[in-house]
Amino acid sequence: MSEDLREMLTDAAVREGDVVTGEVTAVDENGVTVALSHGFEGHIAPQELSAVPGTNPTEVTSVGSQITAVVVKVDMESGQVTLSKRRAEQASAWNRMQELLASGEPIEVEIRDVVKGGLVADVGVRAFIPASLVDRRFVENLDEFKGKTLRAKVVEVDPEKNKLILSRRALLEEETEAKAKALMEELKPGDVIEGTVQRLTDFGAFVDIGGADGLVHISELSFSHVNHPSEVVHEGDRVKVRVLRVDPEAGRISLSIKAALPEPWEEHANDYQPGDVVQGVVKRVVDFGAFVELQPGLEGLVHVSQISNEHVAHASDVLQPGQEVTVRVLSVDPERRRISLSMREPGPSRSENTGSNRRRERRPVERQDDSGTGATLGDLFGDLFK
């Protein structure tokens, strides 16, 4: 090394530990070249560019960009200045993370890598978002987040263990709660709105109505009897619902799909007239008969006496739920919302075709005399009336 170069390095006061800023002049797989003051060049190795191991230099910076780094080593013989962007950011990064943890303020991070169990980002130090804290719901494929910028909250900071945990889920839940609170203040019973089915349970379906989830109880899914919500809706379905109740204190919204539909009696009751023969499905069987669905939510009763021309002791002896039947409309009462149906064949019953109800012929009463010959009452007592 020449004396002139040694003097330049000494005069420039470029020393180990200094934080310097320069312009990026080259970027390749071997690292980044930086033009420093006084005409010196610095070099940043790939592993010193980011807190995330294996980061490609082109993902961090580009030619013409300004970059700040700490001086790691100055080689007086070659004039080479070794720099580290990663070390320059670490100290201030940990301080900033501590501040964000205390304030609860969210941070934007770019996802650099997907590893087993979560996502990795570089915020000056390595930040980790566990899979369970990525979303409010389970995410099957985390690869979809690589390269994306996410907003998250700092939930754990431990510089000694080089541990920084972020949570996107915590931020989403806070935002959801805020939206839900605002929505509950606007919603009123009777409002009809659209929503998306989020999840199903045995007792109903939860529907997202724009920032808050409301419950559609299984009894409010359809005018027809429903055994399980999956018979009517599926996750992801867009549905129209009517607001039944809003309880801001409990954070509950009760919804109804059924109440948002046209009322079956108003829509179809006039479609049926006495004497009409129609098809239906047996929905319920009770002691006194069977309820037959003619339209979703529109049922008529076949009384046990109207099930057959033969005597039927119990409706369940003849009919079962789910059975398709042909019925004849006997009467329609819109005010009481009742339809009487019959499955009996028209015409006389079997008993009317037997001799049991015929008028019997009157025949004279015969008596046997002692001789065994037949004699009428007139023959025996006729002389008494002369």
Side-chain angles (χ1 to χ4, degrees):
M1 180 180 180
S2 66
E3 286 298 324
D4 292 340
L5 180 58
R6 188 181 298 275
E7 281 185 23
M8 287 176 64
L9 287 170
T10 304
D11 293 342
V14 178
R15 298 182 179 86
E16 293 182 7
D18 287 351
V19 177
V20 295
T21 300
E23 182 179 337
V24 176
T25 58
V27 180
D28 57 34
E29 60 182 10
N30 296 317
V32 175
T33 301
V34 182
L36 301 174
S37 59
H38 300 88
F40 301 127
E41 278 190 349
H43 183 263
I44 307 175
Q47 65 270 23
E48 293 298 327
L49 280 168
S50 170
V52 180
T55 299
N56 191 314
T58 58
E59 297 177 1
V60 179
T61 189
S62 59
V63 174
S65 299
Q66 292 290 311
I67 197 167
T68 299
V70 65
V71 177
V72 178
K73 182 180 179 181
V74 178
D75 190 336
M76 292 294 187
E77 296 297 325
S78 63
Q80 179 96 29
V81 180
T82 302
L83 305 173
S84 173
K85 176 178 179 292
R86 176 178 63 85
R87 297 186 194 183
E89 294 175 341
Q90 274 187 338
S92 60
W94 282 117
N95 290 334
R96 186 183 178 214
M97 294 304 109
Q98 291 282 12
E99 292 172 357
L100 291 175
L101 177 65
S103 68
E105 183 183 346
I107 182 176
E108 285 193 353
V109 296
E110 181 182 347
I111 303 304
R112 293 285 182 82
D113 199 8
V114 177
V115 297
K116 183 179 180 180
L119 307 175
V120 176
D122 179 11
V123 293
V125 293
R126 182 181 183 275
F128 183 62
I129 307 178
S132 60
L133 300 182
V134 172
D135 207 317
R136 294 177 62 208
R137 297 173 179 83
F138 174 73
V139 179
E140 187 172 354
N141 183 15
L142 292 174
D143 290 332
E144 63 181 271
F145 293 100
K146 187 172 183 179
K148 290 186 177 180
T149 299
L150 304 179
R151 295 176 73 244
K153 295 194 69 173
V154 179
V155 294
E156 186 175 349
V157 179
D158 191 340
E160 292 183 2
K161 295 182 180 179
N162 198 34
K163 185 178 182 181
L164 174 63
I165 305 297
L166 308 181
S167 174
R168 178 172 177 260
R169 176 179 175 176
L171 183 61
L172 292 176
E173 288 179 344
E174 282 187 6
E175 291 175 346
T176 299
E177 287 178 9
K179 287 181 181 178
K181 185 177 181 181
L183 186 62
M184 286 186 179
E185 292 176 356
E186 297 175 4
L187 284 179
K188 296 179 179 61
D191 288 349
V192 176
I193 52 180
E194 284 194 352
T196 303
V197 178
Q198 292 296 318
R199 59 191 175 94
L200 304 181
T201 66
D202 291 339
F203 54 84
F206 285 92
V207 177
D208 182 354
I209 52 175
D213 285 353
L215 173 64
V216 180
H217 190 267
I218 191 170
S219 62
E220 294 295 333
L221 285 169
S222 172
F223 286 104
S224 302
H225 176 71
V226 178
N227 293 311
H228 192 271
S230 59
E231 297 174 6
V232 182
V233 293
H234 302 88
E235 291 184 7
D237 286 355
R238 291 288 294 175
V239 293
K240 187 176 289 185
V241 294
R242 184 180 293 274
V243 179
L244 299 181
R245 290 176 297 279
V246 180
D247 187 347
E249 292 184 3
R252 293 176 184 171
I253 303 173
S254 298
L255 306 171
S256 174
I257 291 177
K258 179 174 72 174
L261 298 172
E263 217 288 335
W265 269 97
E266 296 175 0
E267 190 175 20
H268 298 293
N270 293 329
D271 295 347
Y272 301 95
Q273 301 297 326
D276 289 350
V277 177
V278 294
Q279 297 293 315
V281 178
V282 177
K283 302 302 288 186
R284 292 174 292 143
V285 179
V286 293
D287 291 340
F288 54 84
F291 288 93
V292 175
E293 186 179 65
L294 306 178
Q295 296 276 351
L298 190 68
E299 295 181 357
L301 173 65
V302 180
H303 191 267
V304 67
S305 64
Q306 294 294 328
I307 291 177
S308 172
N309 291 63
E310 306 290 338
H311 174 70
V312 176
H314 302 285
S316 57
D317 294 340
V318 180
L319 301 173
Q320 300 296 326
Q323 183 177 341
E324 292 187 5
V325 293
T326 300
V327 293
R328 187 172 71 258
V329 178
L330 297 180
S331 64
V332 179
D333 187 345
E335 291 186 2
R336 300 174 68 189
R337 299 194 172 191
R338 292 182 181 178
I339 299 178
S340 297
L341 305 172
S342 175
M343 293 174 58
R344 293 178 60 174
E345 293 290 341
S349 66
R350 181 181 175 185
S351 62
E352 292 172 341
N353 293 327
T354 64
S356 60
N357 287 338
R358 293 181 196 162
R359 181 175 297 175
R360 299 181 181 179
E361 293 183 16
R362 296 178 62 90
R363 297 176 180 270
V365 178
E366 296 185 350
R367 293 287 301 273
Q368 294 279 335
D369 61 9
D370 293 340
S371 63
T373 60
T376 67
L377 291 174
D379 294 334
L380 296 173
F381 304 105
D383 290 343
L384 296 176
F385 300 102
K386 289 181 181 180

